[in-house]
Amino acid sequence: MTMTKPFVMGIDIGGTNTVFGIVDARGHVVASDSIKTRKHTNFEDYIKELHEGAERLIKLNDAEGKIQGIGIGAPNANYFTGEILNPPNLPWGKVIPLAETVSKAFGGIPVAITNDANAAALGEMTYGAARGLKDFIMITLGTGVGSGIVVNGQLVYGHDGFAGELGHVIMKRNNGRVCGCGRTGCLEAYCSATGVARTAREFLEIRTEPSLLRNIALEDITSKDVYDAAMAGDMIAKEVFEYTGKILGEAIADMICFSSPQAIVLFGGLAKSGDLLLRPLQESLEANIFPAFKGKTQVILSELKESDAAVLGASALGWEAKYRYEAPTVPVVTENA
Amino acid sequence: MTMTKPFVMGIDIGGTNTVFGIVDARGHVVASDSIKTRKHTNFEDYIKELHEGAERLIKLNDAEGKIQGIGIGAPNANYFTGEILNPPNLPWGKVIPLAETVSKAFGGIPVAITNDANAAALGEMTYGAARGLKDFIMITLGTGVGSGIVVNGQLVYGHDGFAGELGHVIMKRNNGRVCGCGRTGCLEAYCSATGVARTAREFLEIRTEPSLLRNIALEDITSKDVYDAAMAGDMIAKEVFEYTGKILGEAIADMICFSSPQAIVLFGGLAKSGDLLLRPLQESLEANIFPAFKGKTQVILSELKESDAAVLGASALGWEAKYRYEAPTVPVVTENA
């Protein structure tokens, strides 16, 4: 009799740390650990250290032979090919055969990979605020703006595995800010943590009112500084959030025209700004939404603990992982046939 | 032995005409006919005439008992509820129980309904330019701009059945044109046939160059007039198409960020403008597309004959139709129990 194995492993590969954990079917992170992502310039060495750390965790938690699959979230990871393509912050080349190498290192355990925002959406659907929802959009408001789109209960991968780049829809067609992608006016240039800091700098330069933020060197201002100042009642800082929420509300109104989701789930540092961001966002959404969709889509916050979310999201992919490394069969050469 | 029935019926309910036809599995319209949509203010009378016309067609073509399902495309038709909700141009009230009434009239043949742009997308996927594609977006450029989105081989209905309103994403956030939906700056206000005529009027008022279009009263100019003038070499008319194509290219670049489709399929009157529209559209798309998607999505034209397309699109839904009217069971009352 084959029993379904009770655990998956979730691995989140970030630019700085790689966090990995054992997760059970209820979305409890049984145990987790991390290694430095950029310590090894050789990819095989990195996977070796990752595998050793994971095996240690597996042994300590009596999970040997009980890992059903491994799910990995990583920047530019492609669900279809199992590869990371042109990652901006990883030192292992332009095409990294992630699924194959990990499955091989772990003795053939099935592996599935996707990008971090897609993993976050799966985590939210499997264990978090989007449980039971078949149509929702996850927006991650971090250093950048990422997105994972779920339609009819399935993650939208697109024909090439790279769908869901909603951080790069154009919000300002004239005189827009330069974005990291090389274009101008992208949502990400305004509604990411970086975008909030940029807006603050712009406001401080253009305007003359006093502000707590003037105590910080312009180039050192972070979104956290803007948040702290706004919470202390600073007018300019509050208006930075008004501006950010307005643009995000406009963007969400357009997204709803696409897939008419039940919910927009916000995740990441900025999502924790509370009403500073959510009130202007809601007002802008209501002012901009297509009439037939009015009042139908809820904007909600992620319910996953931030420290667990990345591993949980990645792990959610592990339950359905199908790619399994198989050693190539070596042809038997008999000299005297 | 149950044989799959070889035909479906496609019904396209437009504001003026209702066209219905018998379609075979290869997408051949075996026979079709039409009635006036608005002749009857009573919905039951309309369905009665439709049913009589359809039955006549069925008898003439020896298709009795061979209709597997009925697919209907209609404005604001909801796939999930089987109802038409708040239709702008139909005289039968705010909530029209279309699927139920039709299935009842046709003796319980299964019925499925959706809006016209979704039907067009299904038609293209089943019989047209999108055969074999699992991820594409159909954009209908008619009086308005409609869209039908296919993700992973499935039409995107959204949680409420109304997804795919890409004619109403906002393209001009400042000083945008008033749209029929009550908001301003929608794609539809620029890139529909009506939008092209509006652009021509705007250009003629603002500018002083001579133009063939100045021979037509400003309020009478149609997109066809603009097309004819452009084909005759008229500079202002050509620039109207440049402007239209530029905005449509910008919009498509954003759509690709959502679902990374293999193709954008254009349909409708404007789609037949050839390079007048397609060249500026392609240039704008290439200038605006997110780098990771560059060169991956093709813009192609519908392959369905315009006279057949609406019926074919609707009919495509008929093959999978599931809703079937069943007469309510009348409780048997026996007086002496």
Side-chain angles (χ1 to χ4, degrees), chain A residues 154 158-160 162 164-165 168-170 173 181 183 250 254 257-260 262 288-291 293 296, chain B residues 154 158-160 162 164-165 168-170 173 181 183 250 254 257-260 262 288 290-291 293 296:
Chain A
Q154 299 176 323
H159 83 286
D160 60 352
F162 289 116
E165 283 292 353
H168 296 279
V169 295
I170 303 299
R173 299 207 177 269
C181 75
R183 299 176 308 149
E250 290 170 350
D254 279 352
C257 280
F258 204 100
S259 65
S260 188
Q262 284 153 290
N288 285 284
I289 197 162
F290 182 62
F293 297 129
K296 287 187 181 174
Chain B
Q154 299 175 323
H159 83 287
D160 60 351
F162 289 117
E165 285 290 354
H168 297 278
V169 296
I170 303 299
R173 300 209 175 267
C181 75
R183 300 176 308 149
E250 291 170 349
D254 279 353
C257 280
F258 204 100
S259 65
S260 189
Q262 284 153 291
N288 285 284
F290 182 63
F293 297 130
K296 287 187 181 173

Side-chain angles (χ1 to χ4, degrees), chain A residues 121-154:
Chain A
L122 283 174
E124 216 65 52
M125 182 161 65
T126 313
Y127 316 112
R131 257 172 310 181
L133 299 189
K134 293 182 75 181
D135 294 273
F136 71 96
I137 299 175
M138 177 95 188
I139 304 178
T140 62
L141 304 167
T143 314
V145 173
S147 66
I149 303 162
V150 172
V151 162
N152 203 14
Q154 299 176 323

Side-chain angles (χ1 to χ4, degrees), chain A:
Chain A
M1 190 174 105
T2 38
M3 290 272 289
T4 303
K5 294 179 182 172
F7 300 120
V8 283
M9 173 151 295
I11 302 175
D12 176 63
I13 302 179
T16 308
N17 294 309
T18 296
V19 187
F20 50 95
I22 299 170
V23 176
D24 69 17
R26 288 159 179 254
H28 178 64
V29 180
V30 175
S32 68
D33 201 352
S34 70
I35 61 171
K36 290 288 165 202
T37 301
R38 301 165 64 85
K39 180 172 152 195
H40 304 284
T41 49
N42 181 298
F43 181 58
E44 303 282 340
D45 293 342
Y46 163 76
I47 293 295
K48 188 157 176 278
E49 188 184 347
L50 174 64
H51 176 243
E52 285 167 4
E55 282 297 331
R56 197 160 46 236
L57 218 58
I58 289 170
K59 276 196 190 108
L60 279 171
N61 291 279
D62 196 24
E64 286 142 311
K66 295 179 186 163
I67 304 290
Q68 180 173 329
I70 298 171
I72 310 177
N76 290 24
N78 191 300
Y79 178 77
F80 293 138
T81 65
E83 296 165 340
I84 302 183
L85 269 190
N86 302 316
N89 289 311
L90 303 177
W92 311 306
K94 293 196 157 192
V95 182
I96 304 166
L98 182 63
E100 180 186 337
T101 315
V102 170
S103 180
K104 187 174 173 183
F106 284 79
I109 295 179
V111 172
I113 77 174
T114 192
N115 73 41
D116 14 15
N118 283 347
L122 283 174
E124 216 65 52
M125 182 161 65
T126 313
Y127 316 112
R131 257 172 310 181
L133 299 189
K134 293 182 75 181
D135 294 273
F136 71 96
I137 299 175
M138 177 95 188
I139 304 178
T140 62
L141 304 167
T143 314
V145 173
S147 66
I149 303 162
V150 172
V151 162
N152 203 14
Q154 299 176 323
L155 204 61
V156 176
Y157 288 112
H159 83 286
D160 60 352
F162 289 116
E165 283 292 353
L166 298 182
H168 296 279
V169 295
I170 303 299
M171 299 310 295
K172 302 275 178 192
R173 299 207 177 269
N174 299 305
N175 202 23
R177 284 182 195 162
V178 172
C179 177
C181 75
R183 299 176 308 149
T184 60
C186 294
L187 178 63
E188 171 164 307
Y190 296 87
C191 297
S192 59
T194 330
V196 165
R198 287 173 82 175
T199 303
R201 280 177 220 132
E202 244 179 58
F203 280 25
L204 290 166
E205 285 194 314
I206 294 166
R207 297 167 58 159
T208 54
E209 297 100 312
S211 165
L212 295 169
L213 294 170
R214 297 199 191 277
N215 300 326
I216 307 169
L218 211 56
E219 63 277 16
D220 292 342
I221 292 174
T222 66
S223 61
K224 178 68 167 52
D225 297 327
V226 186
Y227 175 78
D228 290 342
M231 290 305 281
D234 189 84
M235 280 309 298
I236 287 197
K238 280 190 193 173
E239 285 177 34
V240 170
F241 277 100
E242 294 278 338
Y243 183 80
T244 310
K246 177 171 179 289
I247 295 175
L248 192 51
E250 290 170 350
I252 290 174
D254 279 352
M255 295 174 197
I256 292 173
C257 280
F258 204 100
S259 65
S260 188
Q262 284 153 290
I264 304 289
V265 186
L266 302 180
F267 176 78
L270 274 188
K272 292 182 293 183
S273 313
D275 276 347
L276 279 177
L277 183 72
L278 289 179
R279 191 193 41 72
L281 187 167
Q282 284 286 5
E283 284 173 13
S284 164
L285 176 55
E286 275 164 43
N288 285 284
I289 197 162
F290 182 62
F293 297 129
K294 211 156 209 158
K296 287 187 181 174
T297 304
Q298 280 193 291
V299 177
I300 59 181
L301 300 179
S302 162
E303 284 178 6
L304 299 182
K305 221 169 73 186
E306 182 143 9
S307 57
D308 285 350
V311 163
L312 275 181
S315 81
L317 205 55
W319 297 109
E320 309 274 317
K322 292 209 172 65
Y323 173 80
R324 183 195 294 274
Y325 175 80
E326 282 176 44
T329 46
V330 182
V332 179
V333 182
T334 40
E335 280 187 48
N336 305 310

